[in-house]
Amino acid sequence: MFRLSFPSPGRRRRVGTLLAVVCVSTLVIALGELSGDDTAEAAQAPARPASTSRPSVAPEVSSSPRLTAPARRTPAQRLDALGQAEKWDLSGSSASEFTQDACDMADETDSRPDLAGESVAQALAMRVASADSGADALRVGIPVLCPKWTKDLKASLSGHYDRWITDDTYDIGTEPDQIPPGTYRTAGDIADCYWERTAANGDVIDNGLVTVARRITVTISAADSTFTSDNCGVWTPVH
């Protein structure tokens, strides 16, 4: 009679333990092979290139234009603007040019009166008379461009100023290019000086020829028509 025999409980535990060990070992080997394959594939894969994207740059912010205050006009520019607005006739010159020429003339006359042969007020009066709007331009321009000559300008505009006499023949009167009646004197190293007073008909009222002198004085009458001076230096009014 055939009998089935079963292992004892202790043997069954040993066999179970052995089977568990075998299974675990097989799993470890399989996992190791899989990990090795992944490592090889990773080694053979080309390196991923570094990022070539440019760093982001903040967009430029356009600044609004800076507001600047309008430039202030110079005194000469303001004078020219006034001259244009008033339509001054200055013989083709601008108001500032006309005035600056008068300022320079006054400076030169004051620095070398012996060479100029005229007073500052007399020079300014001649400048005023050189253009139809000369008085308007200098009345406004000189206090702005050369204020030191303002007093002399007022005298020239009033007609009451010293007139100096040099070598020439002058009409007697009160216009800028005339000589008013009065007493005049010349001084210095005078040699071969000739002077002459004449009437309206050309007759000689008085004259003199001075070979050598240090001072000569002559009185011009309101009835005189002209006065002539030759090589006598500069005659100035006697006050």
Side-chain angles (χ1 to χ4, degrees):
M1 180 176 186
F2 180 75
R3 180 182 296 179
L4 293 177
S5 61
F6 295 95
S8 61
R11 186 177 180 184
R12 286 200 302 269
R13 285 195 298 271
R14 286 195 298 272
V15 172
T17 301
L18 180 60
L19 289 175
V21 171
V22 172
C23 291
V24 171
S25 299
T26 302
L27 181 60
V28 170
I29 293 172
L31 292 176
E33 291 178 354
L34 180 59
S35 177
D37 292 341
D38 292 341
T39 303
E41 290 178 1
Q44 293 175 1
R48 183 176 296 177
S51 175
T52 58
S53 61
R54 296 181 180 178
S56 60
V57 179
E60 296 183 359
V61 179
S62 60
S63 58
S64 59
R66 181 177 299 176
L67 298 178
T68 58
R72 297 182 61 183
R73 291 187 298 178
T74 65
Q77 290 172 333
R78 292 196 296 271
L79 180 60
D80 288 339
L82 179 61
Q84 292 175 358
E86 297 293 332
K87 298 181 179 180
W88 289 341
D89 182 2
L90 300 172
S91 302
S93 299
S94 68
S96 62
E97 292 171 343
F98 187 87
T99 303
Q100 188 58 56
D101 182 71
C103 294
D104 295 341
M105 183 185 300
D107 289 337
E108 184 177 357
T109 299
D110 183 64
S111 63
R112 293 300 303 272
D114 54 329
L115 295 179
E118 59 186 356
S119 65
V120 172
Q122 189 175 1
L124 293 176
M126 294 298 293
R127 186 57 178 162
V128 166
S130 67
D132 291 341
S133 302
D136 295 326
L138 296 191
R139 188 179 289 109
V140 177
I142 281 185
V144 173
L145 299 186
C146 51
K148 66 179 179 179
W149 301 125
T150 301
K151 182 178 179 180
D152 295 271
L153 175 65
K154 290 181 178 179
S156 67
L157 293 176
S158 70
H160 302 294
Y161 57 90
D162 287 348
R163 318 286 179 94
W164 296 2
I165 303 172
T166 56
D167 290 349
D168 205 344
T169 297
Y170 300 86
D171 290 334
I172 307 305
T174 58
E175 298 298 321
D177 58 345
Q178 296 177 336
I179 298 300
T183 299
Y184 294 84
R185 178 176 295 147
T186 180
D189 296 329
I190 304 169
D192 300 326
C193 161
Y194 176 76
W195 59 269
E196 179 182 282
R197 296 167 52 210
T198 60
N201 61 4
D203 291 345
V204 176
I205 300 174
D206 195 5
N207 65 354
L209 176 60
V210 181
T211 303
V212 176
R214 295 291 296 172
R215 179 181 300 176
I216 305 173
T217 302
V218 173
T219 299
I220 299 174
S221 171
D224 293 355
S225 176
T226 63
F227 179 80
T228 298
S229 175
D230 182 27
N231 203 37
C232 296
V234 178
W235 301 81
T236 58
V238 176
H239 298 292

